[in-house]
Amino acid sequence: MSTLPKSQLVETILANADHEHLRRFFGIKPETSIKDRLLGFSKVRLMGYIDTVGGQLKAVVQLEYEHFPLKAAPTLYVITISNPSDFTLFATQSDSLRAEGRSAALTLTSDRAVRAVYVRRELSKVSSEPPVYELILGYERRLEYTEWDPDSTDYGISQNIFSLENALAWFPERNNKFAIVSCADFAAIKPIMDYLDQNFSLKANLPDLSQEMLMRIAEGSHVRSATFSHISSSSTNDNIDAKTITVFDEDLPSRRIFNDMREEHGREQRSGFYSSHPDILRAGVGITRRFGRIWTPAHLSRDELVRLALGIIVKLEVELERVSNESLSELTGFYSNSSVLIGRVPLTGQPRRLFDRIIRHLIAADRNQMHRDQFRQVKWYIESEDEEVKEFVEDCMKGISSETLKELLEHSKRLGLHASMTYECENCGVRNVTCKECGALLEALTEDGQIICKCPSCKRATDLGNFQCDCSVSCPAIDPYSQLFVYPNEDLLAAIEAYFAVLYPPQRNPGLFVVVGNRLSLLSGPVNPGAREIRLEELGLWKTRAHLHTHSCGSVGRIGKILGKTKEKCPINNYHPSRNDCETCLQSFPSREQLANGQVCLLRLFGIPIGKEFDGIHHGHEGADINYDDQLDGRPITVGIHVKSKSGKYLAKDLRRTNFKVRELYTQIYYTLYKISQGEEDLDVLGIGIPNKISEDVLNSMKAILLRFGISFIYVDYDCWIKIVSLAEEHISFEVSPS
């Protein structure tokens, strides 16, 4: 009963005890106010009286104690939840954990501010309208003290003791994207959220409130104090040169300094204390934007705290609905403390801020695509004085700024972005910038504030100002930013999906995207629930003409050596053939000697067993190296395959994401999806072909990208290429020309 406030304890005694007995027991004179005198006694003395009387009085006090589960005035912490649990399962788990008690605690080291967290009381409903569930958690808080008794052998020695405290977690049933944790120690919040994650799979985070959110939560109350901080150097008040300043007055809204700072550009209110708040019957509330903290100096009952918590959540819902339409920067700012993992590494600092910018661009691009004539927030953005908002609307209206692109490149590895450069050749169309020495796709990087292209294999940088296409046409990079092609890896896509799962109000995750030049483009493909992974032998031509499914190779070792020599493009003219070279090659059938010496390219070889003529330069504007019509399950389809020659000495060794040819394949897949999305290509099946083994995680990643887009995935693997070369050799041996 120690958590019951003294004032409430006195009120309960006065309402249920005999006043004459009270006067005799405490020696209170007739002219003295019983209430005033009782308030002068310690809680220990009052509890002694209750124990002495016992009976009905003790039972009533015990019942009243249940309404005050916290020892002192608490702070309420809003937490956002990404994956709320079913309350039935939640209750079952809490029952089990309550039965286990401290043995099921989340334990931390004794030097931490909080040593352990566990369930003290299982999930229960504390409000029916609206429905709210409560979980009471206990945490052991470390207290350090120094022995002061000079006669003690421990005099002057610092020691630790631990205090068992309660924390109340409230979960509204109507909107389970939010919860409120009420406790007296900020140090306990992180362990509590870790405990909820570990035992209930609740991914919880603390939000940051915007200045407007602070004002809306405090709406209807009277401001008594306010703290303001500089957020930029564009201050318009030369008389106030402090970085942070707090002002207090009984009638603060009428004071000039308060109103001057509220209107001052470059300064924002960070916190405030408000009296007469509509959601609290007594005392007042303090609101701090950082971590969404709401505190009160009053020791309130559970009912009073729940009322305050529900009022906060309702106002936050309204605010988030507003900012989702008017200010995406405020929306992502609210969730800026939500953990974002790229792979297993959390994003912090500038990479995290850039991630939020990507989220805002994705939402804006999705809305712009769905409601081009009803982009509701554009007017608000244009009229805003906020520099970040102005920059964002410029990005949305004119494309992503060059400065943002440079920052994305600087932090591309941390963000899970891959960047390359494209160019447009009058003969070959739009192509990727490749290394002149080894043919590898060049990576776009920043160096000394400038964009450069470097080969991941030979580590050489390419002079973009004097760049030439493989066909010898000059294609200098006039504006490197406009020629960038940037795409996300699967870790970034997973992080974006997890982030969208947290957002309230819910936002549609547009899924795949690329950045082409200064614009973020969403990759929207066909709605195709039948998209799947297919095998080459399932395709009609490979069944009826090549009989790939029944073919048996002779000498796999000899065929493997041929495959190891064969290139994506034949080695004429220092690796890259001209258009005339390919046309001349296609006019005659290759010999066995040419095949054995690696003078027949992989693309030409691929076509021989099925009677198709694929050249080694693919001069057209198509995205895939191989592009042809086939059949699947009796229906006509169009197939596109990106082909790479072997990588490394050992063909059977698994290639992983770090391999530069695998990165090239990712880039080419994304670029083809971009062309499909733009209506420049039309494929039913897209895939890769390389005479190496590729790791399962890479294949699963590529397959997931394509299936998410809505087209089927095909992988022409090492074993398949062995059969293709063997079939091509048979055709050449019998001199069967392609029809």
Side-chain angles (χ1 to χ4, degrees):
M1 290 185 281
S2 61
T3 61
L4 199 61
K6 185 196 287 187
S7 59
Q8 189 67 32
L9 187 60
V10 169
E11 292 288 349
T12 304
I13 292 172
L14 289 172
N16 294 278
D18 181 86
H19 286 205
E20 288 302 319
H21 184 264
L22 279 170
R23 288 185 182 277
R24 289 195 304 272
F25 187 90
F26 288 104
I28 303 172
K29 296 178 180 180
E31 65 271 18
T32 303
S33 165
I34 298 178
K35 182 177 180 179
D36 291 345
R37 191 71 181 91
L38 291 181
L39 287 172
F41 290 114
S42 68
K43 283 179 66 175
V44 174
R45 184 86 181 271
L46 296 173
M47 294 303 297
Y49 172 76
I50 293 169
D51 289 336
T52 300
V53 174
Q56 179 65 20
L57 175 60
K58 189 168 185 177
V60 171
V61 172
Q62 192 82 13
L63 187 63
E64 192 68 26
Y65 155 74
E66 288 294 320
H67 296 295
F68 290 86
L70 299 176
K71 293 180 182 178
T75 298
L76 275 59
Y77 298 90
V78 179
I79 61 173
T80 62
I81 298 175
S82 60
N83 54 337
S85 296
D86 177 85
F87 283 111
T88 303
L89 298 176
F90 199 149
T92 302
Q93 177 69 352
S94 71
D95 288 346
S96 173
L97 291 169
R98 170 65 183 87
E100 293 183 62
R102 196 188 185 284
S103 62
L106 167 69
T107 55
L108 306 168
T109 56
S110 296
D111 60 339
R112 298 278 295 271
V114 171
R115 181 175 66 176
V117 179
Y118 57 96
V119 172
R120 296 199 72 191
R121 185 175 296 177
E122 64 277 4
L123 192 72
S124 61
K125 185 177 284 190
V126 293
S127 172
S128 298
E129 190 53 47
V132 177
Y133 294 89
E134 176 185 84
L135 184 69
I136 299 184
L137 299 168
Y139 64 91
E140 297 171 5
R141 184 185 65 183
R142 181 170 62 88
L143 301 174
E144 184 176 318
Y145 73 97
T146 302
E147 180 60 60
W148 62 271
D149 185 355
D151 296 328
S152 172
T153 55
D154 295 329
Y155 177 71
I157 297 175
S158 295
Q159 299 186 54
N160 292 329
I161 59 173
F162 290 87
S163 171
L164 179 58
E165 307 289 341
N166 282 342
L168 309 182
W170 295 306
F171 303 90
E173 186 176 80
R174 186 177 61 82
N175 186 345
N176 51 17
K177 285 283 188 179
F178 298 102
I180 298 282
V181 173
S182 178
C183 71
D185 299 285
F186 177 67
I189 292 300
K190 179 63 167 61
I192 286 172
M193 292 193 299
D194 290 342
Y195 182 82
L196 292 174
D197 183 11
Q198 176 179 295
N199 292 282
F200 299 98
S201 299
L202 294 179
K203 304 290 184 183
N205 291 281
L206 296 172
D208 277 353
L209 306 179
S210 67
Q211 178 176 257
E212 190 66 25
M213 289 177 184
L214 183 151
M215 300 300 180
R216 298 295 177 92
I217 290 175
E219 197 169 30
S221 58
H222 183 79
V223 60
R224 301 284 296 276
S225 69
T227 298
F228 295 86
S229 295
H230 273 302
I231 58 170
S232 71
S233 58
S234 59
S235 175
T236 57
N237 193 333
D238 295 332
N239 296 320
I240 303 175
D241 57 358
K243 184 176 181 180
T244 301
I245 186 168
T246 299
V247 291
F248 168 81
D249 195 272
E250 294 288 342
D251 190 21
L252 195 58
S254 66
R255 301 303 176 219
R256 185 177 64 252
I257 187 173
F258 173 73
N259 290 292
D260 285 350
M261 283 192 292
R262 288 190 69 175
E263 296 172 3
E264 183 182 342
H265 297 308
R267 194 185 290 273
E268 281 190 348
Q269 185 177 345
R270 305 302 304 176
S271 62
F273 185 80
Y274 301 84
S275 62
S276 305
H277 193 280
D279 293 323
I280 189 170
L281 297 178
R282 53 197 174 99
V285 292
I287 305 172
T288 303
R289 289 172 52 187
R290 182 68 171 153
F291 299 131
R293 290 173 282 188
I294 296 90
W295 56 275
T296 174
H299 190 174
L300 303 178
S301 69
R302 172 191 280 108
D303 291 343
E304 291 172 310
L305 289 171
V306 169
R307 176 182 172 180
L308 177 59
L310 288 174
I312 292 166
I313 289 178
V314 168
K315 289 179 179 178
L316 277 179
E317 289 173 348
V318 174
E319 273 303 280
L320 290 171
E321 290 279 2
R322 177 188 67 82
V323 299
S324 73
N325 294 322
E326 296 179 359
S327 174
L328 293 180
S329 61
E330 283 189 71
L331 181 65
T332 55
F334 181 81
Y335 291 99
S336 60
N337 299 316
S338 298
S339 178
V340 174
L341 300 178
I342 303 297
R344 297 181 179 179
V345 182
L347 279 186
T348 58
Q350 182 63 8
R352 174 55 205 270
R353 289 188 284 274
L354 287 170
F355 176 87
D356 286 349
R357 180 167 284 274
I358 291 172
I359 294 293
R360 297 198 291 270
H361 278 289
L362 285 171
I363 296 174
D366 187 48
R367 292 179 181 177
N368 200 26
Q369 182 169 291
M370 296 175 66
H371 311 288
R372 292 185 183 277
D373 299 327
Q374 301 174 16
F375 202 161
R376 290 182 288 179
Q377 67 260 44
V378 166
K379 181 177 183 295
W380 185 89
Y381 279 134
I382 293 173
E383 295 175 351
S384 174
E385 297 292 335
D386 191 307
E387 291 300 321
E388 183 181 359
V389 171
K390 285 182 177 180
E391 182 184 355
F392 177 57
V393 72
E394 179 182 338
D395 288 353
C396 290
M397 304 289 282
K398 300 179 181 179
I400 301 176
S401 68
S402 297
E403 187 62 31
T404 298
L405 286 173
K406 185 173 72 173
E407 290 178 340
L408 289 174
L409 289 183
E410 288 174 355
H411 301 282
S412 59
K413 286 184 170 56
R414 288 287 296 107
L415 287 166
L417 290 170
H418 298 281
S420 61
M421 295 285 286
T422 61
Y423 66 93
E424 186 167 5
C425 172
E426 60 187 28
N427 293 329
C428 307
V430 178
R431 300 178 65 85
N432 290 303
V433 177
T434 55
C435 178
K436 295 299 181 183
E437 299 296 326
C438 67
L441 186 72
L442 298 187
E443 293 180 327
L445 308 167
T446 55
E447 192 173 278
D448 298 328
Q450 301 296 319
I451 293 182
I452 65 166
C453 275
K454 184 174 286 187
C455 177
S457 179
C458 358
K459 307 301 180 184
R460 293 188 179 92
T462 293
D463 183 0
L464 296 175
N466 296 312
F467 185 77
Q468 286 188 337
C469 180
D470 293 336
C471 68
S472 299
V473 171
S474 178
C475 302
I478 306 301
D479 177 14
Y481 291 103
S482 67
Q483 295 175 217
L484 281 172
F485 183 78
V486 185
Y487 65 90
N489 67 16
E490 62 276 17
D491 289 336
L492 176 55
L493 290 174
I496 290 171
E497 186 172 352
Y499 187 92
F500 271 94
V502 178
L503 293 182
Y504 180 88
Q507 306 292 321
R508 194 181 81 91
N509 178 9
L512 299 176
F513 70 94
V514 292
V515 177
V516 182
N518 293 84
R519 294 200 177 275
L520 184 145
S521 294
L522 304 180
L523 302 183
S524 53
V527 177
N528 182 14
R532 62 181 178 86
E533 182 178 5
I534 64 173
R535 300 184 306 275
L536 191 63
E537 57 263 29
E538 293 182 72
L539 300 180
L541 292 179
W542 291 94
K543 278 184 178 180
T544 59
R545 290 191 187 180
H547 302 287
L548 183 67
H549 58 297
T550 60
H551 181 73
S552 178
C553 296
S555 175
V556 174
R558 182 179 59 80
I559 297 296
K561 290 180 180 179
I562 295 174
L563 190 57
K565 297 177 184 178
T566 307
K567 305 295 182 184
E568 173 193 347
K569 303 175 181 68
C570 63
I572 298 174
N573 294 338
N574 294 323
Y575 180 73
H576 202 300
S578 67
R579 184 190 300 271
N580 290 334
D581 292 327
C582 285
E583 290 176 351
T584 301
C585 177
L586 289 173
Q587 289 173 5
S588 61
F589 210 54
S591 66
R592 291 195 62 171
E593 289 72 25
Q594 288 176 307
L595 176 67
N597 293 328
Q599 294 177 327
V600 184
C601 69
L602 285 173
L603 308 186
R604 181 79 194 277
L605 279 177
F606 187 89
I608 290 175
I610 57 173
K612 294 286 185 178
E613 294 182 342
F614 301 124
D615 62 56
I617 192 170
H618 83 111
H619 290 280
H621 295 261
E622 73 276 6
D625 298 308
I626 293 172
N627 195 316
Y628 78 104
D629 294 329
D630 208 321
Q631 286 192 343
L632 179 64
D633 300 328
R635 59 180 179 83
I637 59 169
T638 302
V639 180
I641 302 175
H642 290 288
V643 177
K644 290 292 170 195
S645 51
K646 65 111 176 174
S647 175
K649 183 177 180 181
Y650 303 102
L651 302 186
K653 185 178 180 180
D654 283 1
L655 301 184
R656 302 191 177 276
R657 291 184 179 92
T658 53
N659 182 272
F660 75 91
K661 293 206 171 186
V662 170
R663 291 201 296 267
E664 287 177 27
L665 288 169
Y666 270 114
T667 303
Q668 290 170 330
I669 285 174
Y670 266 105
Y671 193 73
T672 302
L673 295 182
Y674 170 68
K675 298 192 78 170
I676 295 172
S677 185
Q678 297 295 307
E680 299 175 18
E681 286 260 10
D682 186 14
L683 294 174
D684 303 292
V685 178
L686 179 62
I688 61 170
I690 183 170
N692 288 91
K693 299 289 186 182
I694 292 185
S695 66
E696 283 297 319
D697 62 328
V698 169
L699 291 175
N700 290 335
S701 166
M702 290 181 175
K703 179 170 68 173
I705 290 169
L706 293 174
L707 297 188
R708 181 184 297 194
F709 185 82
I711 64 176
S712 294
F713 172 65
I714 188 169
Y715 168 42
V716 184
D717 62 14
Y718 173 77
D719 294 333
C720 219
W721 278 110
I722 290 288
K723 288 187 177 182
I724 291 170
V725 174
S726 177
L727 284 167
E729 187 180 51
E730 285 186 5
H731 278 262
I732 291 171
S733 297
F734 288 105
E735 297 183 352
V736 178
S737 299
S739 58

